[in-house]
Amino acid sequence: MPFSWSARTTQTISAAALSALLFASAKKHFQEPKFFSPVVPDYLCREDSAAGHGEPNAKEATPRNGALAVMSREEWIAVSGLLEAAAAVGLLIPATRKAAARCTTLMFTAFLAGHVDALRRAYSPGGTAAERRIHTLRLPLQLPLILWARSLAGVKRGV
């Protein structure tokens, strides 16, 4: 008798595999945060200019890059690592898998902005050949990740 897996078994294995990938990535966020630094868009990053440098007349720091600059680059990296870890846990629990998969799809879609920005900067005059290679390869990887998470959410084409 040939061996066959049910759709549920296939989905469970797929969810576990994506969860493992997310756990590994979350771990890397805290072990090697500099790896993720280029894919955090500058417009999201708060840069405190004078605060914290011991200047007596320094005004309170304000976000330099506008309304979306609510955290530093390091904080964004840590938060995204925590989100990936939470998504990984959610994908492992059958009762939360569908919601976690939808959130993971949204998260990967939101990460596209960072990858596009990193690619734009890599091809700017200040970009290097290595950055161009890395970000040219990194950006297209987002689409399979988005589609993978979306498949776990049970989203059908055309819906």
Side-chain angles (χ1 to χ4, degrees):
M1 175 182 262
F3 178 77
S4 67
W5 283 345
S6 68
R8 174 176 262 170
T9 301
T10 301
Q11 185 183 46
T12 299
I13 292 170
S14 181
L18 183 54
S19 179
L21 183 90
L22 285 164
F23 271 128
S25 179
K27 182 179 173 186
K28 190 169 179 126
H29 275 75
F30 297 99
Q31 289 181 330
E32 294 181 55
K34 295 247 184 262
F35 178 80
F36 298 95
S37 191
V39 294
V40 181
D42 291 338
Y43 59 82
L44 290 178
C45 299
R46 179 192 72 231
E47 293 189 28
D48 297 338
S49 54
H53 295 289
E55 297 177 25
N57 295 327
K59 293 182 181 177
E60 189 173 319
T62 56
R64 191 183 105 184
N65 297 323
L68 295 177
V70 295
M71 292 189 283
S72 69
R73 186 173 309 277
E74 294 77 16
E75 291 167 334
W76 279 112
I77 293 167
V79 167
S80 64
L82 291 173
L83 288 173
E84 287 184 2
V89 170
L91 289 171
L92 290 176
I93 302 168
T96 61
R97 182 171 297 145
K98 193 171 198 170
R102 286 183 177 174
C103 290
T104 303
T105 302
L106 292 173
M107 180 179 67
F108 285 149
T109 303
F111 288 173
L112 272 174
H115 288 282
V116 168
D117 188 60
L119 187 64
R120 179 194 58 80
R121 283 185 277 117
Y123 280 92
S124 71
T128 66
E131 290 170 336
R132 286 189 284 279
R133 268 192 313 275
I134 289 166
H135 296 297
T136 298
L137 293 172
R138 262 177 120 170
L139 177 63
L141 291 175
Q142 288 304 112
L143 183 60
L145 291 172
I146 291 166
L147 295 175
W148 187 3
R150 187 173 183 254
S151 75
L152 292 171
V155 177
K156 305 287 186 232
R157 286 186 176 211
V159 177

